[in-house]
Amino acid sequence: KQWYQRRVHGDGSEFDGMIEAAAALPRKFGENSWWDDGQKREDLFKSIDDNNDGAISFDEWLAFVLARYKALVAALPKTPEELEKDAFVSLCKDAQTPGSDAAKTMYFFHWKSFQAADADRDGKVSEESLI
């Protein structure tokens, strides 16, 4: 159960390595503040160690990273399928401007729809594939 235990007299480099390894994927996608909300590493360790036993179990670690991912995902823009009616109508209107973010969003949305219908991946949707 004790997945990681910080050495009492250590410099924290093992914990730092764990945080850096976990932050690598979000950083790849431009999220540079995945773990750094101004906390010192020691305070971060304490915030992950829910039961204050001086060690981080895998369950504590997983709860921490999943909460961080949940916050990242919540900050992402909604897809057209997730929008309320007024926001969707606004997106459709804004998509009329070529090259706009709205136009790119709608392009991708319709590209996914087309791909879903193009079962044989020939770049065409036949009437039979709609039945």
Side-chain angles (χ1 to χ4, degrees):
K1 184 105 175 158
Q2 295 300 323
W3 184 61
Y4 172 81
Q5 186 162 356
R6 188 172 185 183
R7 294 175 290 158
V8 176
H9 300 293
D11 62 3
S13 62
E14 291 174 345
F15 179 67
D16 290 344
M18 182 173 74
I19 292 295
E20 291 303 321
L25 185 60
R27 278 193 190 118
K28 177 180 176 182
F29 298 108
E31 180 53 53
N32 294 322
S33 62
W34 179 79
W35 66 268
D36 186 6
D37 56 4
Q39 285 183 306
K40 294 178 186 175
R41 291 283 170 111
E42 186 174 320
D43 293 336
L44 180 62
F45 183 93
K46 289 176 184 175
S47 72
I48 300 170
D49 180 17
D50 284 336
N51 63 2
N52 299 314
D53 67 352
I56 295 173
S57 69
F58 181 73
D59 291 340
E60 290 170 324
W61 173 246
L62 189 60
F64 167 75
V65 295
L66 290 179
R68 294 291 175 139
Y69 290 145
K70 185 176 182 180
L72 288 176
V73 169
L76 293 173
K78 291 185 176 184
T79 64
E81 302 95 333
E82 298 171 317
L83 296 174
E84 298 294 326
K85 180 182 177 182
D86 291 342
F88 181 74
V89 168
S90 179
L91 177 68
C92 291
K93 288 178 182 178
D94 294 345
Q96 301 307 308
T97 304
S100 67
D101 286 342
K104 292 174 188 174
T105 297
M106 291 305 285
Y107 176 90
F108 183 67
F109 171 73
H110 290 292
W111 176 249
K112 288 190 321 183
S113 300
F114 185 87
Q115 283 183 320
D118 183 17
D120 61 3
R121 300 290 184 247
D122 66 353
K124 299 175 185 174
V125 175
S126 64
E127 186 175 358
E128 294 84 37
S129 65
L130 299 176
I131 299 173

